[in-house]
Amino acid sequence: MMNALFSLYQFAFIVFLYMGFRVLFRQHHSTLNRVFFSLSVSLAIWSFTTGYMLVATSQASANAWRQFSTLGFCLMPALFLHFFMLKTRFKPLRTCAICPGLLYLPGLTYILIAFFNPQAFAEGQYVLMAYGWTFLSSGSWLDWSYNLYYSSYFVIGFSLLIHWLKKANKKREKSQARLIILSLVLAFIFGSLTDTVLPVLQIPAPPLAVLFALIPAFTLWYTIEKYRAMGLSSQNIVSDILKNMGEGLLLLDMGGRIREISDETLNLLACTRDDLMLKSVSMIVAESDVHRISHLLDKENRKPVRNLDINLRRCDGKTFPAIFSMAPVFDDWNDVLGHICTFRDHTEEQKNEEQIRASLREKEILLAEIHHRVKNNLQLINSLVNMQQNLSNEENTVLKSVKSRIRAISLVHEKLFRTQNVEAIDFSDFLKDLISHLSMSYKKPGLQIQTHIHVDHVVLPLEQATPCSLILNEIISNAFKYGFTGQESGDLRVSFVQEKEQYVLTVKNDGKTMPKHAVESETFGLGMKITQALVQQLKGSLDIQHSGGTTFRIQFPKMNTSVPPRF
């Protein structure tokens, strides 16, 4: 019986240490975790020394082992109470800096008495029974004061737990409180009976209180495991992520074998956990994309890869498009331990994108058709003007100006129709075509005009392209008609550049300098009114210089509206 009881104490010693270290390693920065660890160590010391007290070879040896056991059972009530205060968020413990120290003062006092006043500690009688040595209390002041300390601390702890149970509004907290109270009541009753009541009544009994202490200690450990009584920890977080994450998640070792799987992964791949665990990640990748994943598992590859568009394979053999990301996991020495992979089903997104592309293509075709019809209608109007002009044998300058303006607008729509972008045009190409058309229209016999064009890569939306084309038509046509009168040659310089958030359009001819009053005369009146009105429409400014020829400088802001990307 002695050997069996001794083995039971040593088993309890191992269990106490296991629970303490397991909780500490969960989150060693937590005060609650450290207190539980200290409680487990104190109970382990108590169990270890009590076991050797039972099998001691003499009374002196039994007294020595009991003396060392004070390191456990004297601090145990304070550690239990400290734990309960932290668990129930006892306010004075948080506001009073010296309160934790005061909790341990009685226990430390008993330990000092045990080692520095062994006679007072040894008052009582050691009895050798069949199960080993046991201690009968003499009823000394030291025994009664310890019983008062031990009982009062547990009563305070009970009160805190009952108050916590009444105030708790979460099922998790209520369940914890009930379990802890029940286990503590059982341990207190049976432990007090064997280690306090019976020794005072001089009835020999084995000191089983430390074994009964397994009940509340195990309960606290169980609540930690099941109810997360210790709060957040890295293990809790990982467990919850794997369970609740809305995307597929895999943890791979260095060989690319699957070590952890999220619940959503099983749903997306239509697999069971046994189908995937310890299998190569390549089994879930379509054959056409295996090579894109294999090089990511290289030991030398330390860079994460995000949003890779690949095809994954379900356990039933069907494939589906997915957005796949992979990143290495490093240890404290910056060596790669494995990889973490996340993915999501891209099927619905692809369908939505295709629908958007189809809708955009339909709108582009519709806009292109509109531009085409506008261009055709303008050409029809232009043909009507030509017919009217052909009815008279004389050249009609008014009709020619109208035709020029119609052609400028028509050219804008023609460019929009011929390009993939139906909302904006490359103005550099447009400008060259417009000048070429005007040069042909207003060409005079014996007059050689050299055109010099300097245009940045400027893309104008339709809202700016149309007024710009009309402005250029008015200025350049007037330059051809009036700027080189009486000359055999001349230069026409056109510049269109972007300066920060402004466009600058400059048209200069080196012909006769036209005085200001001539520009404002009736000959130029309609063209200038059109030009000024269009400049205002562009929210720009017009500056005319009359030296060394005539220079028109127009400046207007770049539009803030962005053109959507084409597919």
Side-chain angles (χ1 to χ4, degrees), residues 460 464 501-503 535 538-541 555-560:
L460 289 182
Q464 289 185 319
E501 294 300 314
Q502 297 281 322
Y503 290 125
V535 169
L538 292 172
K539 299 180 181 179
S541 60
Q555 184 171 323
F556 60 94
K558 182 180 179 182
M559 286 189 69
N560 293 326

Side-chain angles (χ1 to χ4, degrees), residues 218-351:
F218 181 81
T219 302
L220 295 179
W221 179 78
Y222 175 76
T223 59
I224 293 167
E225 293 292 321
K226 183 174 181 180
Y227 297 104
R228 311 297 201 264
M230 299 296 127
L232 290 176
S233 69
S234 58
Q235 185 172 348
N236 293 343
I237 293 171
V238 170
S239 175
D240 286 342
I241 288 175
L242 292 174
K243 182 180 294 185
N244 301 314
M245 188 172 183
E247 296 183 356
L249 186 145
L250 300 169
L251 295 179
L252 312 179
D253 60 19
M254 282 300 297
R257 292 179 295 272
I258 300 171
R259 293 290 183 175
E260 288 291 346
I261 311 165
S262 69
D263 290 355
E264 184 62 18
T265 298
L266 303 178
N267 295 331
L268 291 173
L269 298 178
C271 297
T272 64
R273 193 170 295 274
D274 292 338
D275 291 334
L276 300 177
M277 286 298 291
L278 301 180
K279 304 292 176 52
S280 173
V281 68
S282 60
M283 73 168 287
I284 68 167
V285 181
E287 292 183 6
S288 58
D289 290 322
V290 169
H291 67 283
R292 302 175 64 189
I293 299 298
S294 57
H295 79 278
L296 300 178
L297 298 172
D298 194 300
K299 294 181 180 179
E300 302 300 323
N301 181 36
R302 304 172 68 87
K303 295 181 179 180
V305 176
R306 295 184 176 88
N307 299 327
L308 190 64
D309 196 349
I310 66 171
N311 290 312
L312 297 182
R313 181 171 54 193
R314 296 187 175 92
C315 286
D316 58 8
K318 296 179 181 179
T319 60
F320 64 95
I323 299 298
F324 189 88
S325 299
M326 178 185 289
V329 178
F330 301 98
D331 61 15
D332 294 339
W333 292 271
N334 207 32
D335 292 327
V336 178
L337 289 174
H339 293 82
I340 182 169
C341 307
T342 59
F343 63 91
R344 68 177 189 273
D345 191 340
H346 194 44
T347 305
E348 290 301 320
E349 293 179 16
Q350 278 193 346
K351 289 180 181 178

Side-chain angles (χ1 to χ4, degrees), residues 456-517:
D456 288 347
H457 179 66
V458 175
V459 177
L460 289 182
L462 180 62
E463 292 88 340
Q464 289 185 319
T466 301
C468 257
S469 67
L470 288 171
I471 289 170
L472 283 166
N473 175 77
E474 297 302 323
I475 296 173
I476 295 173
S477 61
N478 281 338
F480 278 123
K481 288 189 289 185
Y482 309 112
F484 303 100
T485 304
Q487 295 182 204
E488 295 181 355
S489 63
D491 287 335
L492 178 66
R493 299 182 180 275
V494 181
S495 171
F496 194 13
V497 297
Q498 181 177 344
E499 296 179 358
K500 295 183 179 179
E501 294 300 314
Q502 297 281 322
Y503 290 125
V504 178
L505 173 61
T506 307
V507 180
K508 179 179 180 180
N509 68 79
D510 63 350
K512 290 182 179 180
T513 301
M514 288 179 281
K516 184 176 181 180
H517 67 82

Side-chain angles (χ1 to χ4, degrees), residues 2-175:
M2 183 184 298
N3 290 335
L5 199 55
F6 173 80
S7 299
L8 195 58
Y9 281 109
Q10 302 315 303
F11 171 76
F13 163 75
I14 295 172
V15 171
F16 285 132
L17 288 182
Y18 169 77
M19 292 189 296
F21 278 106
R22 182 176 174 87
V23 167
L24 184 67
F25 288 154
R26 275 183 171 272
Q27 194 179 8
H28 63 275
H29 297 294
S30 168
T31 302
L32 195 63
N33 287 37
R34 292 197 295 267
V35 171
F36 183 84
F37 170 74
S38 301
L39 173 62
S40 298
V41 170
S42 71
L43 292 171
I45 293 173
W46 186 13
S47 182
F48 182 83
T49 54
T50 302
Y52 276 95
M53 183 193 79
L54 257 66
V55 298
T57 56
S58 64
Q59 181 175 331
S61 177
N63 184 66
W65 281 110
R66 182 170 176 268
Q67 193 175 22
F68 280 109
S69 71
T70 58
L71 296 172
F73 74 80
C74 287
L75 293 177
M76 176 268 300
L79 287 165
F80 262 116
L81 182 58
H82 193 182
F83 181 90
F84 296 148
M85 286 180 170
L86 290 171
K87 190 69 191 79
T88 59
R89 303 179 185 90
F90 187 58
K91 288 184 179 179
L93 190 66
R94 290 179 287 173
T95 56
C96 176
I98 63 171
C99 285
L102 294 176
L103 281 177
Y104 295 95
L105 187 59
L108 293 173
T109 302
Y110 291 124
I111 293 173
L112 291 175
I113 293 173
F115 282 94
F116 293 101
N117 189 5
Q119 291 182 349
F121 176 75
E123 288 185 7
Q125 181 181 359
Y126 285 92
V127 179
L128 182 61
M129 305 296 291
Y131 50 79
W133 292 95
T134 187
F135 181 78
L136 299 179
S137 173
S138 64
S140 66
W141 67 271
L142 187 63
D143 289 344
W144 282 110
S145 62
Y146 174 80
N147 290 337
L148 179 63
Y149 152 67
Y150 158 78
S151 302
S152 61
Y153 271 39
F154 272 93
V155 169
I156 295 172
F158 285 137
S159 302
L160 291 174
L161 291 170
I162 292 172
H163 180 74
W164 181 40
L165 176 61
K166 291 180 178 179
K167 295 294 183 181
N169 52 14
K170 296 180 180 178
K171 292 182 179 180
R172 177 171 61 91
E173 292 184 346
K174 288 183 177 293
S175 298

